[in-house]
Amino acid sequence: SRHAEHFLTVAQAAQAHLEGPDQGAWFDRLSCEQANFQAALHWCQDHDRALGVRLCVALTLFWRSRGHIGIGRGWLHALTAGDTLPALLLGPALVAACRLAWAQGDVEPARRLADEARAVCARAEEGDAYAEALNLLGDLEAHAGEIQAARTHLDQALVLYRDLGRPAGEAETLHFLSRLATT
């Protein structure tokens, strides 16, 4: 239990730095801890699925950036399958699964996950994950040629990111909107 909680703390601390000037050092640190993350996730699968889901969510950007997408998708599926998670935990897990599916080019599963995350996060009033779900759903709709729906979801995400003070999310949404404007 303490091992898993410690490595959740490590992964969550890294999250704040993976999009900043120190990201290289933090990505390297996470890479060095892969065996510990795997051991923690194995323990969580049998003893504390909620902690395991939180660890997966914290590792999503690392997995996506370092090519461990299949590992992340596998753990998210294993830890969320058949278990009723509270919406405040399920929403971010669905967003994480969507990001990983989209990164692997699995468009339809990613879209279903984004739409489900949007609905779960709206009910749970989970602002960060709700903004991410809207953002991802908008990008996936743009990819499918559904321009008006994409613009609606991206505009909503932009407002939420600004209200939440999330400049990285705002920048990603503006990027998606700029691509949309050229179609």
Side-chain angles (χ1 to χ4, degrees), residues 82-142:
D83 215 22
T84 305
L85 296 169
L88 285 173
L89 191 57
L90 181 59
L94 291 168
V95 168
C98 172
R99 282 199 180 276
L100 294 174
W102 188 211
Q104 278 191 321
D106 286 345
V107 177
E108 284 311 309
R111 191 167 173 184
R112 282 191 303 275
L113 289 163
D115 194 42
E116 186 178 352
R118 179 197 53 77
V120 167
C121 292
R123 283 192 308 273
E125 297 181 7
E126 210 301 340
D128 285 329
Y130 185 51
E132 282 190 74
L134 288 167
N135 193 37
L136 290 167
L137 185 57
D139 189 41
L140 287 155
E141 288 166 338

Side-chain angles (χ1 to χ4, degrees), residues 29 33-34 38 42 62 64 70 98 102 104 108 129 133 140:
R29 179 171 181 198
E33 299 296 354
Q34 277 300 292
Q38 294 299 314
H42 279 287
F62 168 74
R64 199 175 83 211
C98 172
W102 188 211
Q104 278 191 321
E108 284 311 309
L140 287 155

Side-chain angles (χ1 to χ4, degrees), residues 14 17-20 22-34 37 59-66 68:
H17 302 283
L18 294 180
E19 294 178 332
D22 299 327
Q23 65 180 276
W26 281 95
F27 275 117
D28 290 346
R29 179 171 181 198
L30 294 179
S31 290
C32 290
E33 299 296 354
Q34 277 300 292
F37 292 131
L59 289 171
T60 299
L61 179 58
F62 168 74
W63 283 333
R64 199 175 83 211
S65 299
R66 291 291 170 106
H68 303 297

Side-chain angles (χ1 to χ4, degrees), residues 1 28 31 44 48 57 67 77-78 85 90 93 112 115 122 129 140 144-145 147 153 155 163 177-178:
S1 168
D28 290 346
S31 290
C44 288
D48 192 341
V57 169
H77 179 75
L85 296 169
L90 181 59
R112 282 191 303 275
D115 194 42
L140 287 155
I147 305 305
H153 287 120
D155 286 342
D163 288 347
L177 283 165
S178 69

